[in-house]
Amino acid sequence: NILPHSCVCVCVCQNASYLQRPDPDLPICVERTVLVWLPLAFLWLCAPWGFTTLCKKPAKAQLSKLYICKQVVAGLLLLTAIAELALTLAEDYGPSSDSTAQKHPAALYTNPVLFAVSWVVVMLCQECVRRRPRSVDSGSLFVFWLLQVLCAVFQFQTLLRDALNKEEIDDLPRFCLFYISYGLQLIALVLSAIADVSPEVKIISQTVRKNPEAKATFLSRITFSWFNSMLIKGFKRPLVQEDMWDLNEKDSTQTICREFEDIMAKELKKAHSSLQKKQNKRKTKNDHQSGLAKGVSQDVLVMEEMGKKKEKKKKKKKDSESDYPNSWLVRTIAKTFKGVLLETALYKLIQDLLAFASPQFLKLMISFTQDKTSHAWTGYLYAVLLLVVAFLQSVILQQYSHRCLILGMKVHVALMAAVYKKVHLLKESTAGEIVNLISADAQRFNEVTNFLHLLWSYPLQIALAIAFLWIELGPSVLAGVLVMVLMVPINGWLATKSRGFQVENMKFKDTRMKIVNDILNGIKVLKYYAWESSFEAQVQEIREKELKVMRKFAYLSSVSTFIFSCAPAIVSLVTFAVFVSVSPDNILDAEKAFTSISLFNILRLPLAMLPELISIMVQTTVSKKRLKKFLSGDDLDTMAVTRDDSAAVSMTDGTYAWERDTEPVLKNVSLDIKPGRLVAVVGAVGSGKTSLISALLGELHSLRGRINIKGSVAYVPQQAWIQNTTLKDNILFGSNLDEEHYLSVVDACALGPDLDLLPGRDQTEIGEKGINLSGGQKQRVSLARAVYSSADVYLLDDPLSAVDSHVGKHLFERVIGPKGLLKDKTRILVTHGISFLPYVDEIIVLVNGVVFEVGSYDGLRASKGAFSEFLETYGKDKSNNSDYEQIDTLLEGLEPQADDSPEDIVSSTLKRENSLRHSQRVRVRKNSSVRFKKDSGDKKGQRLIEKEAMETGRVKFSVYLQYMRSMGWCFVTWSFLFYFIQNVAIIGQNLIGVFGALGLAQGFLVFFGTILIADGSISASRTLHTNLLSNILKAPMVFFDTTPSGRIVNRFAKDIFTVDEMIPMSFRSWILCILGVLGTLFVICLATPIFTAVVVPMAVVYYFVQRFYVPTSRQLRRLDSVSRSPIYSHFGETISGLSVIRAYGHQQRFLKQNEDTIDQNLKSVYPWFVSNRSALVLYIKLFFFFPTLFAVISRDSLNSGLVGLSISYALSVTQILNWLVRMTSELETNIVAMERVREYAEIKNEAPWITSNRPPDDWPTETYQIPSKSSLTNCLFRIIEASEGRILIDGIDISTLGLHDLRSRLAIIPQDPVLFSGTLRMNLDPFEKSSDEEIWTVLELAHLKDYVRGLPTGLQHEVSEGGENLSVGQRQLLCLARALLRKSRILILDEATAAVDLETDDLIQNTIRTEFSHCTVLTIAHRLNTILDSSRVMVLDFGKIVEFDSPSVLLNNKQRHFYAMAKDAGIRGGETSTAKNMST
């Protein structure tokens, strides 16, 4: 058993004799050299990577029992190596050695030394693993032990076989040492497969829902078996969000974003400087050209006209490209994720190379079946090697795919977080655009990472396939290459056209989402005005344009698919034809044909996927441009407001505009406000009061001047911004709770009575945009937030206009005024309330953006200027101060009251709709109008907005049926038929060998099938979107009150995107996969009939195994959809409250909240990725193994051609089955979007818009009666349906009329002046029923004619989202113009003049008196002077009518409510007149 000296020579000679026999073996020298050195070489290559941790400071890691065992085993192995070396030395040079005898060969010296050194290396590696933080094992050590054990198996059986054959052991010491060593190596292999979990990881696992991946071993990680616990749980019951594991730290949003943002900042800086250089160069060039142009003759002018159009196009393109820095985004992504990119590239390379091993084994298999003399073990060896290669390929592919998906997720998260952060830095951004950036554009980057490596992998696969084909067919293969080259220009043209369509499509998507956002924000106004159908038509018009572009894109894709379906057939046909015709010696036998066909099959995927890849890259290029433009846009100037310790607030010579190139809204404004002063800002509508506050916040573009503010700022906007959280959290706004301070703030802001009314007191959840609070309550919560923040400077933008006069007085006295909580703070108060002006330190009068007068109240009155005249007209005399003081004593016993009924509009509606089962009616004492008792059943933290509903279990078959019904059965049937015949053509092509005709035929069939599916899916998209939109618009108001807009936006954005683009792709791929699998199994069964016996049981097992995996995958997809809605809601909420967030300096808190919201979503996204990487794929490999095995067993009865066909099809079936698993899972997870769209398309509607009972054309003509203020408007417009009693107008019960018939006959000027993005004209007359003359007339009556005439585009002036480019007062006047245009007989004024100054209010009141003199006017007002000419006044207190009479009668009763409120407003008994109005 001793190796001979001439080891290598003998090995070569012996090799044939060892293998050319029925029981083969390897030569001893190979076993003792190559098989020993191979694992050791692997260890030594990997070791240096691990040794890096030895150089670092050791972590405080305890010595675990497992670690000690591993080191003991390695130590024992070291001893066996030393023992073997000692034995050899003793035998050769020991005292008992024979000096004449032949010495042992070198291998017996080198191997023990190599082993001894290697075991020391192993011990060091195990120490490195122990020191590495949170490390549980070493993958390289596990692979080393596995290789070591496998390679030693040959020596193991050789020694055993020799001993059994000779019945004695030649070299007992070495025999014993080898088997001891082998046993220890087996133990080491087992130990290396066990996780050595450090105490640190154990503690983390116990305290949180730790991801078991952190404790997973190498073996568990490559097979994803660590995920089994979730699969089992998901199989037993539907998963819920609470079942999700916490994210690994490296996968959390914070970790991803930190790295991405650092690199992005550097790359953007570089890109900006290179852009600056380019612009400077261009400027220099243009200056030079303009200098030359001065001397050019007049003849040139003739040519100018011709060149104008071209120039415009070029200039437009150049401008758009040169406005923002280029080529930084891809670089940033590449640098941030370079580690994962390189790792995935390596996996892809190995997988591609392994793919080419299979055709070579196929070639050997065919030659084995042809050569009947070859030993049977050869066939079995090839079959096992094919299985091993396929298994390795599968494992590596799984790792590659998983890492690609994780990379995509990380890129998506980084971009979403970057967009959100950028939103905080921009002056304004539209919700529609932002939603598209995160739902479509960032999502595209997520998808493209799965295909990124294919950009180099496909060309590599094509090159390798051509190289192997060259070996098989020689230069003939060049003919096929030529065909492929000719396809490149066609491809280029298709890509360019596709890109154009994609850009167009994204623009339509943006516009559509903008209008949808507008609809959701102003849904109540749409219902009041009965304008739903107009806005529905607008959305549908844009949707039709979007679908038209989608159809063009789909047709282009079909052409692309046709070309590349024909490609493999044409390439193989041309190659074979040239091969046979070039020389009579070229014979196309089975071996050549099927090896070539399997290589052509490898070519098929790259060639078929290239158009798909190009299309995806094109779409991503469009998204890349949009993201680059947004992320590199100009930020707000953070230095616009300085923060030094001079004056409290100072502005020096300030000129400010909303945009860089627009007219300034503030001109040459200079202010100097001392600390602790209360300064009032007054002026007419549009005079620049809100602009002044915005300038102080740094929200305006500075053209000139400087602003300084000392200390922190608190801001109360004119329209309160309320978050969808509890009332308490809205007030605390991220600050720590100081109970005493909190209670004093709540009391001072008159919120005490409101808390008693709310079902959960301050723990009651407030709906989106504060829908379950009245306007006054919202404003007081907004004020309480500011007061609680304890800032140094308070900017108060007219907070008192939205509250009743007595509440306004209370707030002024207790909070803002000289004796209020803020008495020592600097306060700038924008106000229209004259009664507060005597108590302020200073008054600033603004006129058209210019400071007209500044001074104290008395000083300005004495100056007899504009302010003095204004006071004379609208103010009260100084003598009224005594009255004012009397009111103080009169109201001492009166608690501040909630300015709405105990049962809010929303609460009562919810109760009626049974949406909040736990709603409880607050009972009001009959004998008291002010005090009331708390309901003992109050529930803390009552939720208004319930968790989003989510389907569980399998997607109902009815959902699939509905999608196919939406497509049209004709499209579905014909497309399936075309695909079926195409599949038959492919089988025929391979069986009959008629490549050309059938290849072209299947290309045409795919083309027609794809076009039919495209038409069908566009039809489905149209139907589903129409149903969704139509039903959302017909949903009752309670639905919008209890559903965050993010959920609805999610349906219109992500879910409709999935219906438009993802489902058709999944549906088509699934049909092709199913037919492909059936066709392949048919061919294999035809070639090897014995396979039929296996295919049925395997198919059954396959079905059940798949059913085990799919429920988890499907439910995780649903959780992903549900947890994505809060991301959109949070984005929307942030955009609407940007100025407030920035004023308080809470950007970081909101960024953190956004990270947490995204993390919640990732908790379901990450496991979904893993659920697709199941062991099912490894099971699929058995499908492939059996035909190969049966081909070996029955090689005598099969011809080599059929064996080749069977195995080449078996090679492809694993790929198709793999794809089928993925497509089934993807189709089922994507169809969830269809299920979610259907859910909202089937919401219960409000009453019909039009019924058979139509009112007369001149209806209504008389007055009507109605009982209560809080529900007044909503009952009248049937936003809330009456639960008992009825409302009659002209004797007609309004509940019998269609909603549009009713609402279109009433006019309202609502409390919140809502405008929609679009033209001014569209905002007044969306149905375009009125002429321009009529519109100009109503604008004149609404005192807006001069303003609109002054706009460059007049009536076509574009109103921004929510009317942000108009002041609140101007928006209110536009609402008045709307009402005037309606010419209705009944007008409701709901706090219609709260946001306008007294002068404008007076003008509005005069307009209403004259223009609506023939109408019934119902006024809900806080300003009592506006309602004193009403016929009757209704006073409500906690839902009860406490007074109802003419104003003169009520004012004479000094003990009643109305008198007290009038005194607050400074109104005396003789100031009333009569008119035909009723007020509450």
Side-chain angles (χ1 to χ4, degrees), residues 83-313:
E84 193 175 347
L85 181 65
L87 178 68
T88 309
L89 284 168
E91 285 177 353
D92 277 354
Y93 304 104
S96 60
S97 63
D98 184 357
S99 56
T100 58
Q102 191 179 12
K103 303 289 184 206
H104 285 298
L108 289 184
Y109 285 99
T110 53
N111 284 3
V113 171
L114 287 172
F115 273 127
V117 174
S118 298
W119 302 141
V120 172
V121 169
V122 164
M123 291 167 89
L124 288 171
C125 286
Q126 287 174 168
E127 173 60 18
C128 292
V129 173
R130 186 181 73 87
R131 289 189 182 194
R132 210 180 301 141
R134 297 187 188 180
S135 179
V136 292
D137 74 341
S138 165
S140 52
L141 279 178
F142 175 81
V143 174
F144 161 70
W145 288 120
L146 185 65
L147 278 173
Q148 184 64 37
V149 167
L150 289 175
C151 289
V153 162
F154 293 96
Q155 198 176 344
F156 183 99
Q157 58 90 34
T158 302
L159 288 172
L160 200 62
R161 199 151 52 171
D162 276 1
L164 290 170
N165 287 342
K166 294 179 182 176
E167 295 183 353
E168 64 170 330
I169 298 165
D170 290 339
D171 192 347
L172 188 62
R174 282 190 182 80
F175 184 89
C176 294
L177 281 171
F178 172 80
Y179 281 104
I180 289 166
S181 174
Y182 192 78
L184 289 169
Q185 285 169 28
L186 275 172
I187 292 165
L189 174 65
V190 172
L191 291 176
S192 70
I194 300 168
D196 190 2
V197 184
S198 66
E200 177 196 6
V201 174
K202 274 181 186 167
I203 290 163
I204 293 169
S205 308
Q206 286 159 8
T207 52
V208 292
R209 290 198 304 274
K210 189 67 184 170
N211 192 330
E213 190 181 7
K215 295 190 290 181
T217 60
F218 170 74
L219 198 60
S220 178
R221 288 196 302 274
I222 62 165
T223 57
F224 296 97
S225 59
W226 58 269
F227 189 68
N228 289 349
S229 58
M230 186 168 280
L231 285 171
I232 293 163
K233 195 180 278 184
F235 180 69
K236 286 179 179 174
R237 63 168 174 80
L239 294 169
V240 291
Q241 190 68 37
E242 286 66 36
D243 294 324
M244 298 301 104
W245 297 316
D246 286 340
L247 292 167
N248 293 322
E249 194 181 335
K250 66 179 191 309
D251 300 319
S252 68
T253 309
Q254 190 180 7
T255 311
I256 296 164
C257 294
R258 197 186 303 131
E259 198 178 345
F260 181 80
E261 280 163 13
D262 290 347
I263 294 167
M264 186 173 93
K266 290 173 192 168
E267 289 300 320
L268 252 177
K269 198 176 177 183
K270 283 184 203 168
H272 270 297
S273 61
S274 83
L275 175 69
Q276 197 67 47
K277 283 175 192 170
K278 273 183 192 173
Q279 285 175 340
N280 291 342
K281 262 186 192 175
R282 200 177 294 125
K283 197 179 174 189
T284 314
K285 193 179 173 184
N286 289 347
D287 291 347
H288 180 63
Q289 283 175 350
S290 63
L292 287 171
K294 284 176 185 175
V296 176
S297 71
Q298 284 293 312
D299 295 348
V300 177
L301 296 173
V302 181
M303 298 178 73
E304 275 185 6
E305 206 59 45
M306 290 167 65
K308 263 185 186 175
K309 282 184 185 176
K310 285 184 183 176
E311 254 178 57
K312 269 187 183 175
K313 277 186 184 175

Side-chain angles (χ1 to χ4, degrees), residues 637-665:
D637 181 8
T638 49
M639 301 310 293
V641 180
T642 55
R643 302 270 176 183
D644 59 44
D645 288 343
S646 51
V649 178
S650 69
M651 184 188 284
T652 315
D653 197 21
T655 300
Y656 293 87
W658 284 103
E659 295 293 338
R660 193 179 299 232
D661 306 320
T662 55
E663 279 292 307
V665 285

Side-chain angles (χ1 to χ4, degrees), residues 547 551 958-972 1012-1028 1059 1063 1067 1231 1234-1235 1237-1238 1241-1242:
L547 291 174
R551 177 177 270 112
S958 61
V959 178
Y960 294 98
L961 277 178
Q962 189 182 353
Y963 183 73
M964 288 190 276
R965 207 179 297 121
S966 305
M967 281 179 79
W969 289 110
C970 178
F971 285 124
V972 175
L1012 285 167
I1013 277 202
D1015 275 337
S1017 58
I1018 282 163
S1019 163
S1021 289
R1022 178 185 289 110
T1023 308
L1024 294 168
H1025 184 273
T1026 304
N1027 291 350
L1028 175 67
V1059 167
I1063 294 178
F1067 188 59
I1231 209 83
M1234 163 77 203
E1235 186 179 57
V1237 168
R1238 187 172 85 157
E1242 291 174 357

Side-chain angles (χ1 to χ4, degrees), residues 372-392:
K372 308 293 180 192
T373 60
S374 56
H375 297 292
W377 66 263
T378 318
Y380 290 117
L381 177 68
Y382 293 155
V384 170
L385 283 174
L386 262 169
L387 181 65
V388 168
V389 166
F391 177 80
L392 280 175

Side-chain angles (χ1 to χ4, degrees), residues 720-777:
W721 175 69
I722 303 293
Q723 282 187 278
N724 176 202
T725 177
T726 64
L727 187 87
K728 190 171 195 172
D729 288 340
N730 263 293
I731 295 170
L732 296 179
F733 202 57
S735 304
N736 295 323
L737 176 65
D738 173 348
E739 194 70 41
E740 193 180 332
H741 179 45
Y742 172 74
L743 291 172
S744 68
V745 168
V746 168
D747 179 48
C749 292
L751 283 167
D754 298 286
L755 293 186
D756 293 327
L757 298 179
L758 292 168
R761 292 187 58 76
D762 62 1
Q763 291 301 318
T764 303
E765 187 188 11
I766 307 304
E768 255 192 5
K769 300 187 183 74
I771 49 98
N772 49 336
L773 297 177
S774 71
Q777 287 169 328

Side-chain angles (χ1 to χ4, degrees), residues 845-1105:
V845 183
L846 282 175
V847 178
N848 295 329
V850 177
V851 175
F852 198 72
E853 289 179 282
V854 179
S856 66
Y857 180 78
D858 294 331
L860 289 177
R861 283 197 66 166
S863 69
K864 300 293 180 189
F867 179 73
S868 177
E869 284 174 30
F870 175 76
L871 280 181
E872 292 301 322
T873 316
Y874 301 101
K876 56 185 179 3
D877 293 325
K878 189 82 174 162
S879 59
N880 286 343
N881 286 353
S882 56
D883 287 350
Y884 204 92
E885 283 153 21
Q886 285 170 18
I887 293 167
D888 289 350
T889 55
L890 179 75
L891 279 174
E892 265 173 24
L894 249 154
E895 284 185 15
Q897 298 171 21
D899 52 38
D900 216 329
S901 75
E903 203 162 71
D904 184 71
I905 303 158
V906 175
S907 320
S908 57
T909 316
L910 288 176
K911 188 182 305 138
R912 212 160 285 127
E913 297 286 338
N914 292 320
S915 290
L916 283 178
R917 297 183 200 90
H918 46 260
S919 262
Q920 294 183 356
R921 188 177 290 272
V922 179
R923 305 188 185 283
V924 179
R925 280 191 201 170
K926 287 181 183 175
N927 60 349
S928 166
S929 60
V930 180
R931 300 180 188 280
F932 44 85
K933 113 183 136 187
K934 274 186 262 177
D935 191 334
S936 58
D938 277 0
K939 299 198 176 170
K940 298 288 175 193
Q942 180 171 2
R943 294 189 64 81
L944 171 83
I945 294 186
E946 298 297 339
K947 275 191 176 178
E948 186 166 0
M950 183 179 71
E951 295 285 340
T952 54
R954 289 187 65 173
V955 176
K956 296 186 185 77
F957 188 63
S958 61
V959 178
Y960 294 98
L961 277 178
Q962 189 182 353
Y963 183 73
M964 288 190 276
R965 207 179 297 121
S966 305
M967 281 179 79
W969 289 110
C970 178
F971 285 124
V972 175
T973 312
W974 278 103
S975 56
F976 183 82
L977 202 62
F978 275 122
Y979 282 138
F980 180 76
I981 301 166
Q982 178 246 352
N983 222 56
V984 172
I986 292 178
I987 295 168
Q989 186 183 333
N990 285 329
L991 284 174
I992 308 162
V994 187
F995 274 96
L998 287 174
L1000 280 170
Q1002 61 102 6
F1004 275 109
L1005 289 162
V1006 164
F1007 174 66
F1008 290 124
T1010 310
I1011 274 192
L1012 285 167
I1013 277 202
D1015 275 337
S1017 58
I1018 282 163
S1019 163
S1021 289
R1022 178 185 289 110
T1023 308
L1024 294 168
H1025 184 273
T1026 304
N1027 291 350
L1028 175 67
L1029 179 67
S1030 171
N1031 212 66
I1032 287 286
L1033 288 171
K1034 285 176 182 164
M1037 199 59 217
V1038 66
F1039 167 74
F1040 298 98
D1041 290 342
T1042 57
T1043 308
S1045 59
R1047 284 185 200 169
I1048 306 171
V1049 167
N1050 200 355
R1051 298 305 194 278
F1052 281 100
K1054 185 73 176 74
D1055 292 326
I1056 287 290
F1057 171 77
T1058 306
V1059 167
D1060 286 351
E1061 298 191 21
M1062 307 305 289
I1063 294 178
M1065 207 186 288
S1066 305
F1067 188 59
R1068 190 178 124 235
S1069 299
W1070 186 78
I1071 289 176
L1072 287 170
C1073 283
I1074 280 281
L1075 293 171
V1077 167
L1078 294 173
T1080 303
L1081 293 176
F1082 171 73
V1083 171
I1084 295 172
C1085 292
L1086 201 70
T1088 44
I1090 193 170
F1091 182 68
T1092 319
V1094 179
V1095 79
V1096 176
M1098 281 194 78
V1100 170
V1101 174
Y1102 171 81
Y1103 173 78
F1104 283 112
V1105 171

Side-chain angles (χ1 to χ4, degrees), residues 453-504:
H453 291 299
L454 302 183
L455 287 172
W456 60 263
S457 166
Y458 280 166
L460 175 73
Q461 286 179 41
I462 291 167
L464 284 171
I466 290 165
F468 282 112
L469 281 165
W470 184 287
I471 295 165
E472 294 299 322
L473 305 171
S476 312
V477 80
L478 292 173
V481 174
L482 184 67
V483 174
M484 284 190 271
V485 170
L486 289 172
M487 288 177 182
V488 173
I490 302 169
N491 221 355
W493 179 81
L494 288 169
T496 312
K497 291 294 286 179
S498 300
R499 186 169 170 274
F501 289 146
Q502 201 58 36
V503 172
E504 209 178 336

Side-chain angles (χ1 to χ4, degrees), residues 74 113 522 626 736 977 1254 1316 1442:
V113 171
R626 285 160 52 83
N736 295 323
L977 202 62
R1254 309 287 305 263
F1316 303 96
V1442 290

